[in-house]
Amino acid sequence: MDLTLILSQVGAQQGDPLGPLTFSLAIHKVIAELRSPLNVWYLDDGTIGGRPEEVERDLLVLLPRLRDLGLEVNTAKCEFFPCGRESCALFPLFSSLLPGLRELNTDSFCLLGAPIFPSAVPEALEIRRDLLLFASERLKGINPHVALALMQKCFAVPKMTYLLRTAPAWLFPDDVGSFDVAIKSAVESITNVSMSDNQWAQAALPIRYGGIGVRRLRDVSLPAFLASAHGVAGLVSNILSLDGDGADIPYVAGAVVAWSALNPGATVPEDPAVQRGWDDVGCRATLDRLINGAAGADLARLLAVSRSESGAWLHALPSPQLGTLLDGDSLRVSVALRLGCDVCQPHLCICGTMVGADGHHALSCRRCAGRHPRHHALNDIVQRALRSAGVPSVLEPPGLSRTDGKRPDGLTLVPWEGGRCLVWDATCVSTFAASISVALHERRERRPNLRRL
């Protein structure tokens, strides 16, 4: 009888949460038999280190034992790092055991994607910068609001978090600065907004501090490294079999000194393992610097955007089904107004007023086409709020007109308080000047006394 081998029909499948556990249990006995001083594994990614004869002996044990389990070592992905001249001379020996073996040096040696030596950090930053530039070109083909959300939550700094937390990237300000230039270029391309240095500094703040949530490496590299180092100190001690929490993680002391120099007078956070604790100090200092250097409308803008409610639209999921997706022009204007960037070229408005580059006049022009939609939207919000509370209401109720022909915008159909109904009126000249007047109304009155809130 001929036997047909059908692959991927038994065992853990892709995405199975028990897959890693099952795999680890299957190879644990084999791994425990290895005798090299350095024997560290993360699932199928193993690192064996020691004297050449010890590593060679373990490989001779490992390869056939894994083959007995139905596993094959992908020799094309194996890497060899010599720790001395004696090891360099033995590369052909290990290459014969692992065909396709690559030899590394201090500038290319990475473990689980993290550079082991500082000299490997610039190359890692350059590789990721090139990937960001490639991604930013692709982002030009999708909706700008979606592209900005991807920059906030997926690309740029979120993609760099692992590297920043495992390597001293802050030691290379030129390479970090080059990456930040690529981030700024991508954000300006997506939003179609040109930013000055101060505007870019504000944009790179978290949304809760008045930014747009696209961070800079120079602002995040130190907090990320310090939080990670303090968070894993105990685990490192356990792995290295040290007594207590006395593990000396390289570059931590220098990172604390560098952070203190950037934030004079600041104290180490109460919980140094939390990245936000380190980050908030620098963010607050940047926002204070911007506020102290601003005046007039810029000062009012910075105070307004630093309120938590002002950034709600930046947290919203850009979904056309939910009605939260902004078109390109709306996103451009929103970002420009938040950062104080130029919105348009100065020109004369149809109302006869000169429009400045900041575009603020459009928000208060009496001939603005957006007045009436905003007015209707306000009344719709009030009516929907009353409906959700179980209070029926009607818009533009008949029979309540004043002597000048005007009437309130809405009326509740059931008594609100004291047997009297509630009427309201919304006034929306601009986004800067909107108010709602309310009054309790008795049905027999024809001219309700509206009280301004």
Side-chain angles (χ1 to χ4, degrees):
M1 177 186 293
D2 295 334
L3 296 179
T4 302
L5 181 63
I6 302 177
L7 300 177
S8 301
Q9 297 298 309
V10 295
Q13 304 299 307
Q14 184 78 18
D16 188 341
L18 290 179
L21 174 62
T22 306
F23 179 85
S24 299
L25 291 175
I27 67 172
H28 176 71
K29 186 175 181 180
V30 178
I31 302 306
E33 295 177 0
L34 305 182
R35 294 294 177 263
S36 293
L38 179 63
N39 181 22
V40 181
W41 289 73
Y42 179 77
L43 298 179
D44 61 342
D45 197 323
T47 301
I48 303 173
R51 297 185 60 83
E53 58 273 15
E54 294 173 327
V55 176
E56 179 187 7
R57 181 194 59 203
D58 281 347
L59 286 176
L60 293 175
V61 172
L62 180 66
L63 296 176
R65 289 296 306 276
L66 291 178
R67 196 173 295 115
D68 293 340
L69 295 175
L71 301 173
E72 289 289 342
V73 175
N74 188 350
T75 58
K77 290 186 176 181
C78 295
E79 299 171 338
F80 174 82
F81 178 75
C83 299
R85 294 182 179 179
E86 179 183 355
S87 300
C88 290
L90 294 175
F91 176 72
L93 170 63
F94 289 100
S95 183
S96 63
L97 294 174
L98 302 169
L101 182 69
R102 295 189 299 118
E103 186 172 6
L104 305 177
N105 53 35
T106 55
D107 293 341
S108 57
F109 185 22
C110 294
L111 183 59
L112 294 177
I116 299 301
F117 297 97
S119 57
V121 173
E123 182 178 352
L125 289 173
E126 182 180 1
I127 292 174
R128 287 161 177 79
R129 181 180 64 85
D130 292 341
L131 291 175
L132 174 62
L133 292 174
F134 176 77
S136 62
E137 289 297 320
R138 295 294 186 92
L139 291 177
K140 294 179 181 179
I142 64 177
N143 178 276
H145 193 187
V146 176
L148 180 62
L150 290 174
M151 286 290 292
Q152 292 172 333
K153 300 173 177 63
C154 300
F155 301 146
V157 170
K159 197 74 171 179
M160 298 288 293
T161 299
Y162 178 71
L163 175 64
L164 297 179
R165 291 177 65 88
T166 56
W170 48 274
L171 292 176
F172 304 91
D174 292 339
D175 299 281
V176 169
S178 178
F179 195 97
D180 287 340
V181 169
I183 297 177
K184 181 185 178 185
S185 176
V187 173
E188 289 181 332
S189 175
I190 291 171
T191 60
N192 195 20
V193 171
S194 178
M195 305 179 195
S196 65
D197 290 342
N198 281 343
Q199 290 162 352
W200 172 231
Q202 179 193 340
L205 290 173
I207 297 174
R208 63 184 181 276
Y209 284 102
I212 60 174
V214 181
R215 307 301 307 281
R216 295 184 299 190
L217 252 65
R218 57 175 289 188
D219 298 331
V220 181
S221 56
L222 272 171
F225 183 82
L226 286 168
S228 175
H230 284 84
V232 302
L235 182 60
V236 170
S237 297
N238 292 333
I239 293 176
L240 299 180
S241 300
L242 299 177
D243 295 331
D245 295 333
D248 184 15
I249 300 178
Y251 308 108
V252 174
V256 173
V257 172
W259 181 83
S260 300
L262 291 175
N263 305 282
T267 58
V268 174
E270 294 183 3
D271 188 355
V274 178
Q275 183 172 326
R276 177 178 285 195
W278 299 92
D279 189 30
D280 278 352
V281 177
C283 294
R284 172 54 61 184
T286 299
L287 180 60
D288 290 343
R289 176 180 63 81
L290 294 173
I291 290 177
N292 293 334
D298 281 337
L299 177 59
R301 173 181 57 80
L302 288 170
L303 293 176
V305 299
S306 58
R307 302 288 296 179
S308 58
E309 300 86 356
S310 70
W313 66 277
L314 286 165
H315 289 295
L317 178 69
S319 169
Q321 290 77 18
L322 298 177
T324 55
L325 180 66
L326 299 178
D327 59 78
D329 282 338
S330 298
L331 179 71
R332 177 182 64 83
V333 173
S334 300
V335 170
L337 291 175
R338 185 174 179 84
L339 302 179
C341 304
D342 289 346
V343 176
C344 60
Q345 289 295 319
H347 62 280
L348 187 65
C349 181
I350 57 175
C351 70
T353 304
M354 193 65 186
V355 180
D358 56 16
H360 289 177
H361 172 71
L363 302 176
S364 59
C365 179
R366 290 186 175 274
R367 301 188 64 178
C368 176
R371 274 182 64 196
H372 297 293
R374 286 195 295 269
H375 178 266
H376 296 323
L378 276 176
N379 286 311
D380 182 61
I381 290 173
V382 174
Q383 188 181 40
R384 283 191 287 113
L386 290 172
R387 188 185 303 119
S388 65
V391 180
S393 61
V394 61
L395 296 178
E396 298 184 356
L400 293 182
S401 299
R402 305 188 311 192
T403 56
D404 57 5
K406 295 183 178 180
R407 59 187 175 186
D409 287 324
L411 168 74
T412 61
L413 298 178
V414 296
W416 179 264
E417 182 181 342
R420 294 178 297 173
C421 297
L422 177 76
V423 296
W424 76 87
D425 187 74
T427 302
C428 187
V429 176
S430 72
T431 55
F432 286 166
S435 63
I436 297 179
S437 301
V438 297
L440 293 176
H441 171 68
E442 295 181 0
R443 292 294 297 180
R444 64 176 178 271
E445 294 183 6
R446 288 296 181 183
R447 298 181 59 186
N449 181 22
L450 298 183
R451 176 172 56 87
R452 177 76 64 179
L453 278 184

